[in-house]
Amino acid sequence: MSEHIKRGIALEGGGAKGSYQLGVMQAIHEIGVPYEGVVGASIGAINGAMIAMQDLKLMEDVWLGTEVGDIINGDKELLAKLVKLDFKEDADKLRQLVIDTIKQGGLDVSPYRAYLRRIVDEEKIRSSNIEYGLVTLSLTDLKPIERFVDGIEPGMLIDYIIASANFPAFKLEKINNKVFLDGGFFDNLPVNMLIERGYDEVIAIRIMGMGRIRKVKKEDADKVVTIIPSEDLGKTLEIDPKRAAYNMKLGYYDAYRYFKKLKGKVYYITEVWSEDDVFNRLANLPNHLTTQLMNTMDVQQPPRRFIFETLLPTLCDVLKLSRDAAYGEIFLAFYEALAEEAGIERLTFYTLETLIEAVNAHYSKEALELTRTLDGLSIHLLNFIKNTGIALIWSKQRRQFLEYILYLLLQSDVSTERQMISNLPKGNQ
């Protein structure tokens, strides 16, 4: 019988970037990863409250239904430009808005605080089987406050949540005659709260917010697993439903990558070929392909030696992989690089085969044009790869080198292609 693992979730503060955490939580629930507690700072405390209420639907409605005007009092259009730091237009009005904001002591977020009081159900959190905690900082007492719900006076939970999310740009409000600052000033990712509470494992969901993060003791480091966004999540106050929807989707796929051990650095690959299979496909590349590549690179070697001693090391350099990378890793990175260059949809699940199909479908439409992009300068530079090193080759030529290899693959006859890559579409006639 397996030993029970007490698992908790720590949510980092970071304002509007917090929508990413919802996507991660949706994946955690879908996959079935159990957890017994959740703690957070700032927006992490707000998200954590809804997670403790066990209401991800409410959390989704909040993120997809909230705009900057629902959070901050003032001219919605000007505020939207201000939080995005877009000063190209209405510069005078924006300047005056900044001056007025400074005079009143910060942005007026009374609508946001009123909204929190409507949606957060203290009784539901207190009776939940998901333990809830938060962190804030008392400016009046100059001391941090880390509390679980059982240490907060009845009727005061929402006040503490508001205190935890008292972002420096917001107009400060007192609670019981004390001024509180955003929890990120003390610990923006309160992993230690859970460890000190006796949790065996902590899933830390980063959103790369501004703030201090307390170090975890060395002896506790192996208790923490961290999910980090694979893309920039935008600006801290960029409160926009479209941006939130994208960040949620990103969080969902990043969580799946972690928990399901998906392959790929850019795309989310559920199935790949075995090393033996990739080796055999590489070893059986058609002779005309290797001959053309050797001519391009000014190399004279037996075909198989060229593939494994020259082509693959060069591909590793182009793709910024270690030269001892596995064959499957090189093969996947090759198609990922081409897919990214082609703008093929990233946030979806692929097998290696379906990713190859998507890449080939895109590039086969313009197969003839691919060689035309290899102008005289490109060929000249490629000829000196073996002597000068790939580091001296411009990014444009790196990309063209990959496209050139794909072009040769697409020009292979159908029978050879089928031996090499299943379902590879026939190239230009």
Side-chain angles (χ1 to χ4, degrees):
M1 187 173 179
S2 60
E3 184 181 353
H4 172 71
I5 296 176
K6 188 177 182 183
R7 183 181 292 110
I9 294 170
L11 304 174
E12 184 179 12
K17 302 177 185 183
S19 51
Y20 177 86
Q21 294 168 343
L22 171 56
V24 175
M25 292 307 303
Q26 288 171 331
I28 283 174
H29 278 246
E30 196 171 287
I31 295 167
V33 180
Y35 61 95
E36 297 174 45
V38 59
V39 297
S42 196
I43 193 62
I46 296 171
N47 282 341
M50 290 181 279
I51 291 167
M53 288 165 59
Q54 301 181 60
D55 198 341
L56 293 189
K57 179 61 171 64
L58 170 64
M59 198 172 168
E60 183 175 357
D61 291 342
V62 168
W63 279 109
L64 297 183
T66 303
E67 297 181 345
V68 67
D70 301 317
I71 299 296
I72 305 169
N73 262 333
D75 185 309
K76 292 184 179 182
E77 290 186 9
L78 277 180
L79 287 169
K81 290 179 180 180
L82 177 64
V83 298
K84 292 180 180 179
L85 303 179
D86 180 6
F87 297 102
K88 294 178 183 177
E89 299 178 7
D90 299 316
D92 291 338
K93 290 181 180 179
L94 283 166
R95 190 180 298 110
Q96 188 58 49
L97 175 60
V98 171
I99 292 170
D100 293 342
T101 298
I102 293 171
K103 284 181 178 178
Q104 69 181 14
L107 295 168
D108 179 4
V109 290
S110 52
Y112 140 79
R113 288 169 174 147
Y115 184 53
L116 279 182
R117 294 187 183 279
R118 290 198 303 273
I119 65 170
V120 175
D121 188 328
E122 179 171 341
E123 289 308 311
K124 193 177 269 191
I125 294 173
R126 289 186 180 278
S127 62
S128 174
N129 58 5
I130 304 297
E131 190 174 30
Y132 172 71
L134 54 77
V135 58
T136 184
L137 181 67
S138 172
L139 185 60
T140 304
D141 300 327
L142 293 178
K143 70 176 185 178
I145 296 172
E146 297 176 288
R147 292 200 185 165
F148 284 89
V149 69
D150 58 9
I152 296 174
E153 314 89 282
M156 293 297 295
L157 177 60
I158 298 173
D159 293 287
Y160 275 93
I161 293 172
I162 291 172
S164 180
N166 231 346
F167 189 69
F170 296 166
K171 186 178 179 181
L172 297 178
E173 289 189 8
K174 291 184 178 180
I175 300 172
N176 287 343
N177 293 317
K178 292 185 179 181
V179 175
F180 291 86
L181 287 179
D182 192 286
F185 278 92
F186 175 66
D187 190 356
N188 207 32
L189 186 64
V191 169
N192 287 295
M193 280 187 71
L194 291 168
I195 292 175
E196 292 163 8
R197 190 80 164 184
Y199 280 76
D200 304 305
E201 182 180 296
V202 178
I203 300 170
I205 306 177
R206 299 285 323 261
I207 52 175
M208 316 313 287
M210 296 181 294
R212 172 182 182 242
I213 295 179
R214 288 174 60 209
K215 290 184 178 180
V216 174
K217 294 178 183 177
K218 281 187 178 180
E219 58 266 31
D220 294 323
D222 60 355
K223 295 180 179 180
V224 184
V225 298
T226 306
I227 296 176
I228 299 176
S230 57
E231 289 182 30
D232 179 74
L233 300 178
K235 297 179 176 64
T236 301
L237 291 177
E238 191 177 346
I239 305 161
D240 177 74
K242 288 183 180 179
R243 181 77 206 201
Y246 185 84
N247 287 349
M248 285 164 50
K249 193 173 183 181
L250 184 67
Y252 176 86
Y253 281 97
D254 284 351
Y256 255 93
R257 186 198 299 284
Y258 178 82
F259 289 108
K260 290 296 186 178
K261 310 300 180 190
L262 302 186
K263 301 297 183 181
K265 293 183 177 179
V266 179
Y267 290 83
Y268 303 85
I269 313 299
T270 59
E271 295 176 23
V272 294
W273 294 332
S274 69
E275 278 293 286
D276 286 345
D277 195 11
V278 175
F279 174 83
N280 289 332
R281 293 169 193 275
L282 291 169
N284 289 290
L285 287 173
N287 285 336
H288 81 273
L289 186 153
T290 53
T291 299
Q292 285 183 263
L293 281 170
M294 283 192 287
N295 289 339
T296 298
M297 297 175 68
D298 193 22
V299 174
Q300 295 299 318
Q301 283 179 294
R304 286 198 178 183
R305 286 191 62 184
F306 166 75
I307 291 167
F308 292 100
E309 296 178 14
T310 301
L311 178 60
L312 289 183
T314 300
L315 276 175
C316 286
D317 293 342
V318 171
L319 297 166
K320 299 182 180 179
L321 298 174
S322 167
R323 284 199 169 197
D324 59 4
Y327 299 132
E329 186 181 356
I330 301 168
F331 199 75
L332 174 55
F334 171 75
Y335 278 99
E336 279 198 292
L338 288 165
E340 191 173 21
E341 177 64 30
I344 290 171
E345 173 60 37
R346 189 170 94 83
L347 300 184
T348 189
F349 295 119
Y350 293 93
T351 62
L352 176 55
E353 193 161 314
T354 58
L355 182 66
I356 289 173
E357 289 172 355
V359 168
N360 290 335
H362 174 85
Y363 284 97
S364 62
K365 294 174 185 177
E366 301 173 356
L368 276 178
E369 296 300 320
L370 292 176
T371 51
R372 293 173 190 166
T373 66
L374 283 168
D375 54 31
L377 176 60
S378 303
I379 293 293
H380 176 72
L381 288 171
L382 288 171
N383 283 340
F384 287 90
I385 286 177
K386 68 186 182 73
N387 297 318
T388 61
I390 197 68
L392 298 180
I393 305 300
W394 302 335
S395 60
K396 177 183 177 182
Q397 278 68 47
R398 293 172 191 243
R399 183 188 74 244
Q400 289 174 344
F401 182 54
L402 299 178
E403 290 177 342
Y404 183 57
I405 295 173
L406 181 65
Y407 166 76
L408 295 179
L409 287 171
L410 289 170
Q411 295 307 305
S412 298
D413 64 83
V414 175
S415 61
T416 303
E417 284 179 12
R418 283 177 177 166
Q419 293 174 15
M420 206 174 61
I421 302 174
S422 59
N423 297 323
L424 189 68
K426 188 174 181 181
N428 193 73
Q429 299 294 327

